[in-house]
Amino acid sequence: MKDDKKEKLLQEVRSIVSQCDRCGSCLPVCPLFREKDVEASSARGKNNIARALIQGGLELTPDVLSAVNFCLLCRACVDICPSKIKTDEAMMSVRQHFADKQGGASIKYKAMGGMLKSRPLVKLASGSLKVLRKIGLNRLIPGGMIPDQYTRKQFLAAFAGPAALAGPAPASTVSLSPETKVAYFQGCGMRMMFPDAVSDTLAILQTVTKPAVVDNLCCGLPHVAHGLREEFLEMAKENMRLFANADVIVSDCASCSGTLKHIAGYFKDDPAWKDRAAEFSAKIMDLTEYLVKAGYQPRLRTNATLTFHEPCHLGRGQGIKNQPRELLKAAGNYVEMSGADTCCGGAGSFHIDYPDISAGILDKKRKNIEKTGAQIVVTECPVCLVQMNKAAEKSGGKFRAMHISQVI
Amino acid sequence: MITNEIKEKIRAVVGPENALDSNLDLFGYSYDSSFIPLLPANKPDFVVRPLTTAEVAEVMKIAYANDIPVTPRGAASGRTGGSVPLAGGIALSLDRMTNVIELDEPNMMITVEPGVRTIDLYNLCAEKGLFYPPDPASWKFSTIGGNVAENAGGMRAVKYGVTTNYVMGLEVVLADGTILNTGGKALKNVTGYNLTSLFTGSEGTLGIITKIILRLIPMPKVRNTLQLMFPSLDEACSTIHKMLQSGVVPAAAELMDKIGLQAVARTRKLDIDPNTEACVVIEIDADDEAGLDKQAQQIDVIAHEFNVTEVRIAKSFQESEDIWAIRRGLSSAVGAMAPTRFGEDISVPRSEFPEMVRRIRKISEKHNLVIAVYGHAGDGNLHPSVLCDLTVPGEEERVHKAVDEIFAEALAVGGTLSGEHGIGITKRAYITDALGEAGVNALKAVKRAFDPKGLLNPGKIW
């Protein structure tokens, strides 16, 4: 049975990477190749490393593992690839293969995965972060993992004073049926690092529906990305149970909604869970996707200049590009930045694993934000928001970073 | 094998971070975009990434003194194995040499280093209203150095020619490290042999190109796209020939056969009449809208002489994009039809295009293989794609026979082995058929003159 699984995993990888004809289309778009321009950093390089690994041209050595870990999973390569090769999925499967071979994921990822798997621990972390932030100790934690929070209150005080041009936005016109049972999926990153944004999300949802708040488990992206697939599948099953009664499940984290939408694919060969998983994935909506469909209009139009950093898992991951921009255009003076859909270098724990490379990528993002003259950079993913906060700090106050719920 | 002592010397020249020798890095520089198998890997012994001409010259001096083979490399997007380090030695990656040295507007010329991406070069010129026309399919990721070394073509060749038509001069580092300058900015120049032309398309076998002077032309002011559908391939080709004879020269005239067209239709969910045997996508350009309209009307009249079933003239930028999307989606749509695809690059006299396609059809039937044909009908450059599954017993042999016969037929109708991809490794077996003994001997004599030790890109062309 175990060997079967291993074989299946390798088969998955093989079927993806063998499609690569090594043309090189992906080279210019890979954010990592821009920072470290050797072949092994690029999507083409990594796909062919995976291929050689399967066909026996390379061994499972530590540098091969580093190469497959050195991927943002941002899908910029998938987007540009003429054969749409899913480098991100191939890399996750190769990481899983390494973990299986070595009798488990690395201690670091196991610890992180174990913590995120436990609701009490996530809540505890959330509480401690709040305290740290309150007493100002958050700035001493490296990696910007406990960023400052610029709250909606502060935002309104700055941009919606008497000088604000417009009055309240028109009333919402909900088009979803009133019977639709909507539930909120609370992501770990949002819960731990951005509780104020979570409150704003709920406040917004309450204007159009009666959102059920479920004490859900982690979406499992950190697990499936780092060789903890069993844990990912286990949590997915529990989440399916928890949300069995909901018709629509809304998340304000692009990584959560993106991952949950893909759960169906992971269960397609499991007869016991296949249908439930497909049904579950079909219920998932990203916050802005839901709000636009529900006819939501921003609570207030402010005179703030806004720009949007498009999370990889939102734009390329779910094809949601217009909705957040539509909402932001109604909420303030919207300016599109160049390279809005380029990865910010956050990518889960990548920014902690590779701080220098991540900083290089983020610096390009910061310059693009500064060029727009925006006062607020808005995004919809907690890891992106951590990165945007770092960029905001580096800009020396030229702009602030906020979650979209705090702005619309 | 390169000794540690030599490696240290090279590291001292380019900096230790630009000289790689881990197994993983050597593997990364072992392949290109050809169908040469990934494994066993053709690994170099050392990957060297110089930044300046002086560094290239120093590295070549060391290689020459120690008899180390050197294979130059740009983005490794070539289709024939040109940058595959077949004999090991040094993979000389020029992708760090990305300076634009000068954009000379009065002379309409640009001087660049080889690692500049072709699209970046194009965009830079376009900002000044200048036009660098060659647009190989890889132009968004390939480097100009690779384009010059392979004499790359592209879709605009029918009106604007190929890379060599724009190369005015080169700086080349020879095998022994000597720096040679050829050509220059003078438009008329008959001083000595035309070495610029010789190095253009030399596939890295004669020297390392480190600087390129390119001629530019004014950017056409307006463009439009047309899509024509024909009930037969002959009528599609006749339309293109009549257009060219009448002085209506399209900026691109791309033809695709039914197999390719239906493949795109499937992937893009388009509804295309099954009686359509050929589709032609045409780009026209002009100084003004009136000029565009006139050309479009002339094409429409000519196409109707040859039983065109549909003439679609794009009415918006979006519609242009939609039409081009059919052509751009072609290669991957065809590729997706089978596990393996052998894409070829033959070039025949324009008038022989339909005859060549008929001969390819016969080969396809004879060997029971699906072969999609598309290409640059305006200039006679065809890309037959042999679709196959090499895991099927006997299929590989049939594919090789079919490819051999395609080359033989291309030569028989007065054509040649490669229009724009080069010979590299994948076509060298056929070079004597194409050039004759005398022709190959002449190439070898040139090679000996420039590279007596045979160190530059060994194992290529013949």
Side-chain angles (χ1 to χ4, degrees):
Chain A
M1 181 63 197
K2 196 113 202 242
D3 278 351
D4 272 10
K5 266 191 188 161
K6 229 176 251 179
E7 192 39 53
K8 215 184 118 209
L9 200 62
L10 287 182
Q11 188 53 45
E12 269 173 35
V13 178
R14 186 181 294 125
S15 67
I16 297 172
V17 297
S18 64
Q19 293 293 310
C20 173
D21 81 348
R22 305 189 282 275
C23 69
S25 302
C26 54
L27 299 176
V29 302
C30 174
L32 292 182
F33 189 67
R34 283 181 205 157
E35 291 301 313
K36 190 170 179 239
D37 59 354
V38 294
E39 181 73 15
S41 304
S42 69
R44 177 175 73 177
K46 282 175 277 206
N47 281 325
N48 284 286
I49 287 170
R51 193 166 174 180
L53 198 62
I54 292 166
Q55 296 180 2
L58 286 171
E59 303 290 324
L60 278 174
T61 52
D63 58 344
V64 170
L65 178 60
S66 307
V68 296
N69 276 333
F70 195 66
C71 174
L72 299 161
L73 310 177
C74 76
R75 295 173 69 91
C77 53
V78 186
D79 217 32
I80 199 104
C81 175
S83 308
K84 299 284 168 236
I85 290 166
K86 295 173 186 143
T87 308
D88 57 329
E89 290 182 17
M91 290 308 113
M92 290 197 284
S93 296
V94 177
R95 291 172 188 178
Q96 184 67 45
H97 174 63
F98 264 100
D100 293 348
K101 276 252 172 176
Q102 295 172 336
S106 77
I107 300 204
K108 179 175 67 181
Y109 293 129
K110 259 190 189 157
M112 176 196 66
M115 185 249 160
L116 292 178
K117 209 176 137 187
S118 150
R119 269 299 89 168
L121 281 182
V122 169
K123 282 184 197 165
L124 188 66
S126 170
S128 334
L129 295 200
K130 206 169 176 180
V131 173
L132 285 177
R133 191 180 269 144
K134 207 165 187 178
I135 56 179
L137 277 180
N138 59 320
R139 288 171 169 271
L140 300 178
I141 307 288
M145 277 309 286
I146 317 177
D148 280 338
Q149 266 217 130
Y150 189 63
T151 62
R152 178 164 175 87
K153 222 184 218 169
Q154 290 168 304
F155 169 69
L156 291 181
F159 298 108
L165 291 174
S172 302
T173 46
V174 184
S175 64
L176 289 164
S177 137
E179 283 87 51
T180 309
K181 280 182 275 180
V182 177
Y184 172 60
F185 185 95
Q186 188 167 14
C188 308
M190 293 302 296
R191 170 176 263 177
M192 291 192 295
M193 295 183 288
F194 301 103
D196 284 357
V198 170
S199 309
D200 280 311
T201 299
L202 286 169
I204 290 171
L205 286 175
Q206 273 150 5
T207 66
V208 286
T209 185
K210 289 187 190 115
V213 178
V214 176
D215 201 11
N216 57 269
L217 292 184
C218 176
C219 71
L221 177 60
H223 305 79
V224 74
H226 292 293
L228 294 161
R229 192 179 282 207
E230 287 302 321
E231 286 81 347
F232 162 72
L233 296 175
E234 216 177 290
M235 289 187 298
K237 286 177 188 169
E238 181 58 21
N239 280 329
M240 287 185 230
R241 285 190 203 102
L242 289 170
F243 287 95
N245 290 327
D247 300 320
V248 170
I249 304 159
V250 178
S251 174
D252 54 0
C253 165
S255 298
C256 291
S257 51
T259 306
L260 299 173
K261 282 180 184 181
H262 285 104
I263 274 181
Y266 287 95
F267 285 95
K268 67 178 188 300
D269 297 325
D270 182 341
W273 285 90
K274 187 175 159 236
D275 294 341
R276 273 181 89 169
E279 195 187 317
F280 178 72
S281 280
K283 290 179 188 174
I284 307 296
M285 287 181 96
D286 157 71
L287 177 68
T288 61
E289 181 186 19
Y290 170 77
L291 290 177
V292 168
K293 190 146 192 205
Y296 175 81
Q297 291 290 332
R299 292 166 278 181
L300 195 69
R301 187 183 164 83
T302 68
N303 60 0
T305 305
L306 311 169
T307 192
F308 185 58
H309 162 65
E310 183 183 294
C312 302
H313 291 270
L314 191 67
R316 283 181 297 275
Q318 302 179 53
I320 297 173
K321 289 174 171 281
N322 292 334
Q323 293 93 324
R325 289 173 172 84
E326 209 175 291
L327 291 165
L328 290 175
K329 278 173 193 162
N333 307 315
Y334 181 74
V335 192
E336 178 80 12
M337 72 167 105
S338 83
D341 66 350
T342 305
C343 180
C344 62
S349 55
F350 185 93
H351 64 121
I352 303 165
D353 296 344
Y354 299 95
D356 295 345
I357 298 279
S358 170
I361 295 173
L362 183 58
D363 230 37
K364 292 190 177 108
K365 180 64 71 175
R366 176 181 57 80
K367 284 176 193 151
N368 282 335
I369 297 169
E370 286 174 1
K371 262 186 245 159
T372 63
Q375 293 152 308
I376 309 284
V377 59
V378 179
T379 191
E380 204 195 332
C381 156
V383 178
C384 295
L385 197 48
V386 166
Q387 291 290 90
M388 294 306 118
N389 263 297
K390 284 190 222 166
E393 194 168 330
K394 182 131 190 240
S395 81
K398 288 200 187 90
F399 62 89
R400 299 270 197 172
M402 296 181 83
H403 188 275
I404 193 162
S405 291
Q406 300 170 289
V407 179
I408 54 172
Chain B
M1 262 303 284
I2 304 177
T3 63
N4 282 334
E5 193 195 336
I6 297 170
K7 284 185 183 175
E8 278 312 309
K9 277 189 193 164
I10 292 174
R11 285 193 184 103
V13 174
V14 296
E17 68 281 12
N18 299 308
L20 318 171
D21 64 353
S22 78
N23 186 45
L24 197 68
D25 282 324
L26 299 179
F27 171 74
Y29 293 76
S30 69
Y31 51 76
D32 70 353
S33 185
S34 62
F35 44 76
I36 294 163
L38 186 67
L39 300 171
N42 293 294
K43 283 186 281 196
D45 298 307
F46 209 28
V47 177
V48 181
R49 308 179 66 212
L51 188 65
T52 63
T53 303
E55 288 183 11
V56 173
E58 282 308 306
V59 172
M60 287 312 301
K61 276 180 198 160
I62 297 170
Y64 193 75
N66 295 284
D67 291 340
I68 300 166
V70 176
T71 301
R73 179 191 191 271
S77 55
R79 292 287 188 188
T80 57
S83 61
V84 173
L86 212 50
I90 292 171
L92 193 68
S93 184
L94 300 157
D95 58 346
R96 289 177 66 231
M97 298 182 68
T98 56
N99 284 318
V100 174
I101 294 159
E102 181 197 41
L103 177 54
D104 178 351
E105 289 183 67
N107 279 313
M108 302 211 296
M109 281 182 207
I110 188 166
T111 307
V112 294
E113 290 185 343
V116 174
R117 283 195 187 108
T118 308
I119 190 167
D120 294 336
L121 165 74
Y122 171 91
N123 285 334
L124 195 75
C125 297
E127 276 172 29
K128 304 281 180 192
L130 295 170
F131 184 30
Y132 175 69
D135 62 339
S138 62
W139 72 307
K140 289 188 177 167
F141 44 92
S142 60
T143 61
I144 189 68
N147 287 186
V148 173
E150 298 289 328
N151 191 8
M155 301 205 253
R156 298 190 185 116
V158 57
K159 183 165 183 176
Y160 294 108
V162 298
T163 304
T164 193
N165 302 117
Y166 296 86
V167 184
M168 295 296 296
L170 297 170
E171 178 187 78
V172 181
V173 176
L174 299 177
D176 63 359
T178 307
I179 299 170
L180 166 74
N181 282 284
T182 75
K185 287 187 186 174
L187 282 168
K188 294 168 87 176
N189 182 344
V190 292
T191 311
Y193 295 146
N194 188 343
L195 295 179
T196 307
S197 278
L198 178 62
F199 281 101
T200 304
S202 64
E203 304 196 25
T205 62
L206 300 181
I208 311 292
I209 297 167
T210 49
K211 204 182 283 177
I212 302 153
I213 306 172
L214 297 164
R215 179 174 75 86
L216 307 168
I217 59 175
M219 182 64 88
K221 304 241 174 355
V222 283
R223 286 183 179 143
N224 202 9
T225 309
L226 287 82
Q227 177 191 315
L228 313 179
M229 299 294 207
F230 291 93
S232 81
L233 203 67
D234 285 77
E235 285 162 317
C237 290
S238 298
T239 300
I240 295 171
H241 299 160
K242 182 78 184 284
M243 277 165 55
L244 293 168
Q245 286 160 31
S246 318
V248 185
V249 183
E254 294 294 301
L255 185 142
M256 56 196 103
D257 74 350
K258 191 173 178 172
I259 298 170
L261 196 56
Q262 293 297 338
V264 180
R266 275 193 298 279
T267 55
R268 299 191 61 85
K269 304 201 165 43
L270 304 170
D271 196 14
I272 290 172
D273 181 354
N275 294 319
T276 300
E277 286 290 328
C279 166
V280 180
V281 174
I282 290 173
E283 182 173 283
I284 47 176
D285 58 21
D287 280 342
D288 52 33
E289 293 294 337
L292 277 187
D293 289 346
K294 191 178 162 205
Q295 286 181 63
Q297 276 164 24
Q298 285 173 307
I299 293 170
D300 186 62
V301 170
I302 294 168
H304 277 96
E305 286 174 33
F306 296 101
N307 300 318
V308 71
T309 51
E310 188 192 333
V311 177
R312 180 178 174 196
I313 302 169
K315 284 172 209 69
S316 64
F317 175 74
Q318 189 51 48
E319 195 174 357
S320 262
E321 287 294 297
D322 289 347
I323 295 174
W324 273 113
I326 297 173
R327 172 62 183 87
R328 291 196 198 104
L330 187 62
S331 181
S332 49
V334 167
M337 289 170 67
T340 307
R341 171 248 306 259
F342 286 81
E344 280 309 339
D345 167 44
I346 53 170
S347 191
V348 299
R350 192 155 54 208
S351 60
E352 298 298 331
F353 197 106
E355 174 59 20
M356 189 61 217
V357 175
R358 270 193 293 276
R359 293 186 185 200
I360 293 171
R361 288 274 158 274
K362 275 194 197 131
I363 295 169
S364 157
E365 281 163 28
K366 182 176 161 194
H367 296 287
N368 192 26
L369 289 164
V370 178
I371 306 179
V373 180
Y374 55 92
H376 318 303
D379 57 37
N381 187 190
L382 295 80
H383 298 305
S385 285
V386 184
L387 301 169
C388 52
D389 182 351
L390 297 183
T391 61
V392 174
E395 186 125 322
E396 189 163 0
E397 206 190 326
R398 282 187 288 126
V399 170
H400 286 304
K401 278 191 183 147
V403 171
D404 287 355
E405 287 171 27
I406 290 173
F407 284 137
E409 294 296 353
L411 297 176
V413 300
T416 190
L417 300 178
S418 176
E420 54 189 9
H421 294 173
I423 301 300
I425 303 168
T426 61
K427 295 182 208 173
R428 61 183 173 172
Y430 310 96
I431 190 85
T432 312
D433 295 341
L435 301 182
E437 288 284 343
V440 175
N441 285 339
L443 296 194
K444 287 180 178 170
V446 172
K447 168 75 173 172
R448 273 195 301 276
F450 281 102
D451 181 19
K453 289 187 168 188
L455 297 176
L456 285 167
N457 208 0
K460 308 295 164 71
I461 306 182
W462 57 79

